[in-house]
Amino acid sequence: MRRIAALGKPDLGVLFDPGSVAVVGASEDPGKLGFHVMRSLLTGGYKGAIYPVNPGRGEVMGVRSHPSLSEVPGDVDLCVMVLPAERILGQVRACISKGIKGAVLATSGFKEIDDPTGAALQAEVGRMATEAGIPIIGPNTFGLVNRHADLNASFTPEFGLVKKGGVSLVSQSGGMCHLLAFLAMRSGVGFSKIVGLGNRCNVDFGDLLRYLQGDPATKVVALYMEGIDDPRPMMAEARSCTGSKPVIAYKVGASTVGDPASLSHTGSMAGHHGVYRGAFRQAGILAVDGAEEFLDAAKALAMCPLPEGPGVAVITGQAGPAMAACDVCEREGLRIVRFSPETRKKIEALLSPLSLRDNPVDMGPAWYNMAALKGVVEAAIEDEGVHSLLLLMTYASANAALAEGLVAMLGEERWQKPVLACMTAPPGVWDGEIERLEGMGALVNFPTPERAARAAANLWGARLTRSHAGPERAI
Amino acid sequence: MRRIAALGKPDLGVLFDPGSVAVVGASEDPGKLGFHVMRSLLTGGYKGAIYPVNPGRGEVMGVRSHPSLSEVPGDVDLCVMVLPAERILGQVRACISKGIKGAVLATSGFKEIDDPTGAALQAEVGRMATEAGIPIIGPNTFGLVNRHADLNASFTPEFGLVKKGGVSLVSQSGGMCHLLAFLAMRSGVGFSKIVGLGNRCNVDFGDLLRYLQGDPATKVVALYMEGIDDPRPMMAEARSCTGSKPVIAYKVGASTVGDPASLSHTGSMAGHHGVYRGAFRQAGILAVDGAEEFLDAAKALAMCPLPEGPGVAVITGQAGPAMAACDVCEREGLRIVRFSPETRKKIEALLSPLSLRDNPVDMGPAWYNMAALKGVVEAAIEDEGVHSLLLLMTYASANAALAEGLVAMLGEERWQKPVLACMTAPPGVWDGEIERLEGMGALVNFPTPERAARAAANLWGARLTRSHAGPERAI
C-alpha cells in the first residue's frame, strides 16, 4: 500500500469538514447504496452543498443532480463514490480532474474478494489517488461520519442518531462499527468522528491516529482492528503521539478460525494476537476486550479526568452491587482503599450505626438523606488515597426521587477525580436524570457495577499506559 | 439456624401460590414499606384475597383493613410483615394463632445489625416459626414474586413489570436482585419466581432449590450468593437434585474487602471464594461471573435445549462480529467446527464466490436473500458436528426488512439445537421482531456477539456440569 502520508501532507481534515459533498451514483432506488448515502447526508443536517451525480436524473431526493462530476458547477471537497468496481478507475480520474480533496469509496469488489483482479484494481486506485494527493476512505466501507459537522457521509442514515461527544471511532469492520454505534445509542456514548476504514487503499490507522490526535473535538481515539498488513507504521505513529490523548484498541482475531475470516474480509491477515498486545503496549495504546468494554472505556475516557492512582472509594445504597464492584476492582488492579482517620470520622458522623463506616460505604437508611450522601461523597473524594469514586444506586419504589436529588446535589460540584456510577432503575424511570447528570459532567453511568468498576480500571490503565509504566493488565 | 426443612415438610408452594395474603403494617403513607407492599399486590394483578392489617384505618388503598391479624375474617395463607423489629415477636405469635402457612418478613434490624440483640431476636423468630411449621422469607428482605400467579409480595411494584418466563431467581441481596430485574426488563429475560432471601431465618438456598426443582414453571434456577454460614446442606441439596434442571450461581465476595461488607449485610461470612467454586462443581451448579453473564446464561438455559457437544456454527452478515464471537467461543471451550463435505457443498451452492464457504459462514451479499439464508441455516444445523448455532445480524439501512424476513423464515422451523443470536439495530428498530422470534422459540437474542458466544459456552457448561464431567471452565 502506498499511503497518503508518504506525500507528507495528509490533510485528512477535509474528509471530516468538507464545504461540499458530491455523491457519484446518487439514486432514488432504495435497493442501491446511492439512495442510502443521499438519505444520510440529507437527514443528517449537513449544511454544505450536496451534489448528486447521476446521468439519468435531473434531481435526486429534491436536490438538483448532475450528469457527471465534471459538470458539477462548484468546487467539490469530498466525493462519495457508490458505483460498481469496474467503473471506479474512470471516476477516480474524474475526481482528479475536478480537483476534489478527499473521497469515500463505498464500493466493494477490491482486495477483499478472492479474484486477484480486485487487489490489482485497488492498488491502481491507491496509486492514482496518492499521486494526486487525494486521501481515500475505503474501498469496501460504509463511509465516515463527523457528528460535530452533522456530516453523515455513509450509507447508514441512523449514524445521524448517535449522540455527539468526544469519542472518535476508527473501525476496520463495517459490521462491528454499526454494532458499536447501535449499542452506543443505548448507553449514551457520544461520538465525534466515526470512520470505516474498509480495505485501506491509501489511508490507514496511522494516518487517522495522527489526524485525530490533533483534532480538538476528539477526546479519545478508539480503534477497532482485525489485523493490518504491517502494523509498524501505525505503532510508530501511535508512539509519536503518546502523551496527549488516550488511545484504546479492541482487536479481534485471536481465534485460529478468526484469521481466515479476516483475510477474506478486508484483505489482510489478522496476524498473531500476542504480537499485537505487545505492540499496543509499546505504542501507549490500551487494549480492551469486547465490544461493551470498548464502549465503556471510551465513554469513561471521553468524559472523566484520568485518575492519579489506583485508589477507589465505593459508595453504595446496597451491599450486593458494591461487593460485585469490589471483586472486579481488585481483579483489575485497583485498590479499595482504607480511608484516612479524618475521612472515617466525617463519615461516621453522617451515618447511623447500621451502616458500614469504611470503604465500601454502605449508606444504609442514610441513602435517602441527600445531605448525608453529599457529605459522604465529599469526604471520600477529598481523601488523599482516593483517586476514583464508584457510586452505586439501585432504584426502589421508596427512593424514586433519589436521582432527582443527585442532580441537585452534584450540579453544584465539580471534582478533579473521576466519578463512575451505576444508577439502575426500570426502563424509562431514571433515564432523564442520568442523562442530565452525565451532561453536567457530574458522573458517567454504566449498566452494571461490574462494568462501572471495569471502566474505572481502564481509566487507570490509560493513565498507566500514558506513563509507559503499565502492568500486564494495562497493555 | 433451625431450618424449616428440619420438619420434613417444607411446603414452600404456599409462599408462591397463596389463596390469600395479609399485609401487617399496610399503610397509605408512601414513606412506609407497607404502602409499597400494598401497591405491589394491587397493581400486580393478584387474584386472591388481600387483607390489609392496620389498627388505625378502616381501609387501605380502597381495600377493607382489619385492626389485627386475628380479626381477619377468612383464612390467611401468606402474611407479609412490615412492622418495626421490636413488634415482630408478637406478630409471629399472632401468625401462629391465626394458622397462617407462610410469611415474608421485610423488616430489618435482625442479624444484619451490629447490635447482638438483632441476632437473638432473629433466632427466636426462627425457632417459633419452625416449631409452628411456618416458612419465613427474610427478615431483611424485599419479599418474593411469582410472575405466573401475578403475585408481587414485595415492596417493589416494578417487579410486576418483569416478563413472565422460566427463570427462578433466588437472591441473597435485595439490591442485586433489583438490579438484575431491571436489567432483565431491557434484555427480555422472563421470570417465574423471584425471591429475596434476606437473613434466611428458617428458609435457605437449599430449601428453595429443592422446591424449585419440583416446580413445573421453573426451567432454570439462578442463585445469587454472597456467602452462607454453612454451605454444606445447600450443596447436598443441589447434588440430590442434579440431573433435572440446570442451576447456575453468581457468587460475589472474592475480594478481600468484599467479605466484611457481606458479614454486615446479611449476617454471614462471604467465605473463601475458592471453596465455593469447588463446591459448586461438586453440586452440579454452573458458576458464572458478573450480573450480565448471569442473566444471559439464565435466559439461554430457560429458552434453549442443551447442546450435545461443543461444536458451534457461526452464520453472520458481517465478518467483524463473527470474529469477535469466534474469539470468545475458542476461549470458553467451544469449537468452531469444520463442516462436513456435504454441508460445505450445500452452502457453496447457495452463496456467491465473494462469501466464505466454511465456518464461520459470512453470508456476504446473500445476506439479503432469505431463501439462501434459510438454506445455509438448515445445512449448518443439520451438520452432525454442529451442536449450537450462532446467528449474527447487524442492521443496515439497506437490510431493514431482514428481521421481518427471519420471523417468516424461522417461524415454521423448530430445531433440537440451540440458536443464539445477536441481532443488533438502532433502538426500537428490530425490537418487535426480536421479541416475536424469541416468543416463537426460534432463537434467543443477546446484545453483542461476545455475549451470545458466552451464553452458548454456558449452555455447554451446563450440559457438562449436569453430566458431572465438567472442565475447569464449567465449575
Side-chain angles (χ1 to χ4, degrees):
Chain A
M1 183 179 68
R2 297 194 46 171
R3 289 171 64 225
I4 192 73
L7 297 171
K9 49 166 181 110
D11 179 15
L12 302 188
V14 73
L15 290 169
F16 298 102
D17 285 296
S20 55
V21 182
V23 180
V24 180
S27 170
E28 289 198 346
D29 173 358
K32 303 213 160 165
L33 292 180
F35 168 90
H36 300 283
V37 172
M38 281 300 294
R39 209 153 67 86
S40 294
L41 283 166
L42 290 171
T43 62
Y46 176 61
K47 303 294 184 305
I50 300 174
Y51 301 116
V53 175
N54 183 326
R57 305 191 62 92
E59 63 172 50
V60 174
M61 298 187 189
V63 182
R64 193 188 150 202
S65 177
H66 307 276
S68 68
L69 198 58
S70 64
E71 288 163 273
V72 168
D75 284 346
V76 171
D77 284 347
L78 178 66
C79 178
V80 183
M81 286 178 270
V82 280
L83 296 171
E86 59 271 21
R87 292 179 52 197
I88 287 300
L89 277 184
Q91 277 307 318
V92 172
R93 276 184 214 109
C95 284
I96 295 169
S97 305
K98 180 69 182 170
I100 70 150
K101 306 207 180 71
V104 168
L105 186 42
T107 310
S108 57
F110 291 84
K111 200 179 173 186
E112 81 282 4
I113 59 169
D114 288 347
D115 190 328
T117 59
L121 181 62
Q122 179 171 324
E124 180 61 8
V125 168
R127 191 193 57 75
M128 286 165 61
T130 302
E131 274 179 19
I134 300 174
I136 293 187
I137 300 294
N140 189 25
T141 177
F142 61 87
L144 62 85
V145 176
N146 179 2
R147 290 295 295 125
H148 296 293
D150 295 315
L151 173 73
N152 182 358
S154 83
F155 57 63
T156 303
E158 289 81 1
F159 281 128
L161 303 172
V162 171
K163 201 173 145 184
K164 295 177 187 184
V167 179
S168 283
L169 170 62
V170 183
S171 177
Q172 197 172 345
S173 157
M176 188 56 97
C177 197
H178 281 72
L179 190 142
L180 290 166
F182 302 152
L183 286 176
M185 289 178 193
R186 290 174 170 87
S187 59
V189 184
F191 286 89
S192 176
K193 277 79 181 169
I194 301 174
V195 189
L197 280 185
N199 292 7
R200 295 161 296 118
C201 165
N202 72 355
V203 175
D204 209 333
F205 281 107
D207 306 289
L208 282 160
L209 198 47
R210 178 165 298 279
Y211 166 71
L212 293 169
Q213 284 284 358
D215 171 39
T218 297
K219 304 287 177 219
V220 51
V221 183
L223 310 174
Y224 169 80
M225 286 187 190
E226 297 178 349
I228 52 179
D229 310 289
D230 179 3
R232 282 170 303 181
M234 198 274 283
M235 297 304 177
E237 206 107 33
R239 263 199 305 279
S240 78
C241 299
T242 301
S244 49
K245 277 168 205 175
V247 180
I248 58 173
Y250 177 31
K251 163 82 175 66
V252 300
S255 75
T256 48
V257 292
D259 276 0
S262 166
L263 177 60
S264 165
H265 177 36
T266 46
S268 72
M269 286 292 291
H272 188 59
H273 209 61
V275 177
Y276 275 92
R277 290 194 83 89
F280 285 146
R281 175 165 42 185
Q282 284 184 358
I285 296 174
L286 180 72
V288 296
D289 202 20
E292 288 177 321
E293 186 188 349
F294 187 48
L295 285 174
D296 288 350
K299 185 179 183 181
L301 285 163
M303 296 170 70
C304 292
L306 288 185
E308 290 303 313
V312 177
V314 182
I315 299 176
T316 189
Q318 298 97 352
M323 291 175 73
C326 288
D327 282 2
V328 174
C329 284
E330 290 215 342
R331 196 165 62 220
E332 301 291 336
L334 298 175
R335 265 191 317 112
I336 309 298
V337 295
R338 294 291 113 192
F339 290 134
S340 72
E342 298 74 44
T343 306
R344 215 172 304 139
K345 217 152 96 187
K346 286 189 225 167
I347 293 176
E348 269 171 27
L350 291 159
L351 298 185
S352 85
L354 268 175
S355 309
L356 281 179
R357 284 159 215 82
D358 211 327
N359 196 8
V361 187
D362 187 339
M363 294 294 294
W367 195 31
Y368 307 87
N369 176 342
M370 274 298 140
L373 182 56
K374 183 172 185 175
V376 171
V377 167
E378 283 173 353
I381 220 156
E382 283 161 12
D383 190 299
E384 274 198 4
V386 171
H387 306 108
S388 308
L389 186 71
L390 287 179
L391 198 58
L392 311 174
M393 301 279 160
T394 305
Y395 171 92
S397 186
N399 74 12
L402 181 67
E404 190 54 47
L406 273 184
V407 172
M409 169 188 141
L410 294 174
E412 313 154 16
E413 303 288 344
R414 203 61 72 246
W415 293 289
Q416 287 312 304
K417 297 179 181 179
V419 180
L420 301 102
C422 173
M423 297 176 59
T424 324
V429 171
W430 281 352
D431 296 358
E433 286 87 351
I434 290 169
E435 207 178 321
R436 282 170 64 195
L437 285 162
E438 289 191 336
M440 285 157 32
L443 54 79
V444 193
N445 199 60
F446 300 90
T448 70
E450 297 96 331
R451 283 173 61 179
R454 189 131 189 191
N458 278 323
L459 282 179
W460 174 230
R463 176 71 186 72
L464 281 175
T465 303
R466 172 182 285 191
S467 64
H468 288 267
E472 188 57 24
R473 166 66 200 148
I475 57 171
Chain B
M1 181 181 68
R2 297 194 44 170
R3 289 170 65 226
I4 192 71
L7 297 171
K9 47 165 183 113
D11 180 16
L12 302 188
V14 74
L15 290 169
F16 299 102
D17 286 294
S20 55
V21 182
V23 180
V24 180
S27 170
E28 289 198 346
D29 174 357
K32 303 212 161 166
L33 291 181
F35 168 89
H36 300 283
V37 172
M38 281 301 293
R39 210 154 66 87
S40 295
L41 283 166
L42 292 171
T43 61
Y46 176 62
K47 303 295 184 304
I50 301 175
Y51 301 115
V53 175
N54 183 325
R57 305 191 62 93
E59 63 172 49
V60 175
M61 298 188 190
V63 182
R64 193 186 150 204
S65 178
H66 309 276
S68 69
L69 198 57
S70 64
E71 287 164 273
V72 169
D75 285 346
V76 171
D77 283 348
L78 177 66
C79 177
V80 183
M81 286 178 271
V82 279
L83 295 171
E86 59 272 20
R87 292 180 52 199
I88 287 301
L89 277 184
Q91 277 309 318
V92 172
R93 276 184 214 109
C95 284
I96 295 169
S97 306
K98 180 70 183 169
I100 69 149
K101 305 205 179 71
V104 168
L105 187 42
T107 310
S108 57
F110 291 85
K111 199 179 173 186
E112 81 282 5
I113 60 169
D114 288 348
D115 190 328
T117 59
L121 182 60
Q122 179 170 323
E124 180 62 7
V125 168
R127 192 193 57 75
M128 287 165 61
T130 302
E131 276 178 10
I134 300 173
I136 292 187
I137 300 294
N140 189 27
T141 176
F142 61 85
L144 63 84
V145 176
N146 179 3
R147 290 294 295 123
H148 295 293
D150 295 315
L151 173 74
N152 182 358
S154 83
F155 56 63
T156 302
E158 289 81 1
F159 281 128
L161 303 172
V162 172
K163 199 173 145 185
K164 295 177 186 182
V167 179
S168 283
L169 171 62
V170 184
S171 177
Q172 197 171 346
S173 156
M176 188 56 95
C177 198
H178 281 72
L179 189 142
L180 290 166
F182 302 153
L183 285 177
M185 290 177 192
R186 289 174 171 87
S187 57
V189 184
F191 287 89
S192 175
K193 277 80 182 167
I194 301 174
V195 189
L197 281 184
N199 291 7
R200 295 162 294 119
C201 166
N202 71 354
V203 175
D204 210 332
F205 281 107
D207 306 290
L208 282 161
L209 198 47
R210 179 166 296 280
Y211 165 72
L212 293 170
Q213 284 283 358
D215 171 37
T218 297
K219 304 289 177 216
V220 51
V221 183
L223 311 173
Y224 169 80
M225 287 188 189
E226 297 178 349
I228 52 179
D229 310 290
D230 180 2
R232 281 170 303 179
M234 198 273 282
M235 296 305 177
E237 207 107 32
R239 262 199 305 279
S240 78
C241 299
T242 301
S244 49
K245 276 169 206 175
V247 181
I248 58 174
Y250 177 30
K251 163 83 174 65
V252 300
S255 75
T256 48
V257 292
D259 276 357
S262 166
L263 177 60
S264 165
H265 176 36
T266 45
S268 71
M269 285 292 290
H272 187 60
H273 211 60
V275 177
Y276 275 92
R277 291 193 83 90
F280 285 147
R281 174 163 45 181
Q282 284 183 359
I285 296 174
L286 180 73
V288 297
D289 201 20
E292 289 178 320
E293 186 188 349
F294 188 48
L295 285 175
D296 288 350
K299 185 179 183 183
L301 285 163
M303 295 171 71
C304 293
L306 289 185
E308 289 304 313
V312 177
V314 181
I315 299 176
T316 189
Q318 297 97 351
M323 291 175 73
C326 287
D327 282 2
V328 175
C329 284
E330 289 215 340
R331 195 164 62 219
E332 301 291 336
L334 297 176
R335 267 192 313 115
I336 309 298
V337 294
R338 295 289 114 192
F339 290 134
S340 72
E342 298 73 45
T343 305
R344 214 172 304 138
K345 217 152 95 186
K346 285 189 226 168
I347 293 177
E348 268 171 28
L350 291 159
L351 298 185
S352 85
L354 269 174
S355 311
L356 281 180
R357 284 158 216 83
D358 210 328
N359 196 7
V361 188
D362 188 339
M363 294 295 293
W367 195 31
Y368 305 89
N369 176 343
M370 274 298 141
L373 182 56
K374 184 173 184 175
V376 171
V377 167
E378 282 173 353
I381 221 156
E382 283 161 12
D383 190 299
E384 274 200 2
V386 171
H387 307 107
S388 308
L389 186 72
L390 288 179
L391 198 58
L392 312 175
M393 302 277 161
T394 305
Y395 171 91
S397 187
N399 74 11
L402 182 67
E404 190 53 47
L406 273 184
V407 173
M409 168 188 141
L410 294 175
E412 314 153 16
E413 303 288 344
R414 203 61 73 246
W415 293 287
Q416 288 314 303
K417 296 179 181 178
V419 179
L420 301 102
C422 174
M423 297 176 59
T424 325
V429 171
W430 281 353
D431 296 357
E433 286 87 350
I434 291 169
E435 207 178 319
R436 283 170 65 196
L437 285 163
E438 288 190 336
M440 287 158 31
L443 53 79
V444 193
N445 199 59
F446 300 90
T448 70
E450 297 95 330
R451 283 172 62 179
R454 190 132 190 189
N458 277 324
L459 283 179
W460 173 230
R463 176 71 186 72
L464 282 175
T465 304
R466 171 183 287 191
S467 64
H468 289 268
E472 189 55 25
R473 166 65 202 149
I475 57 170

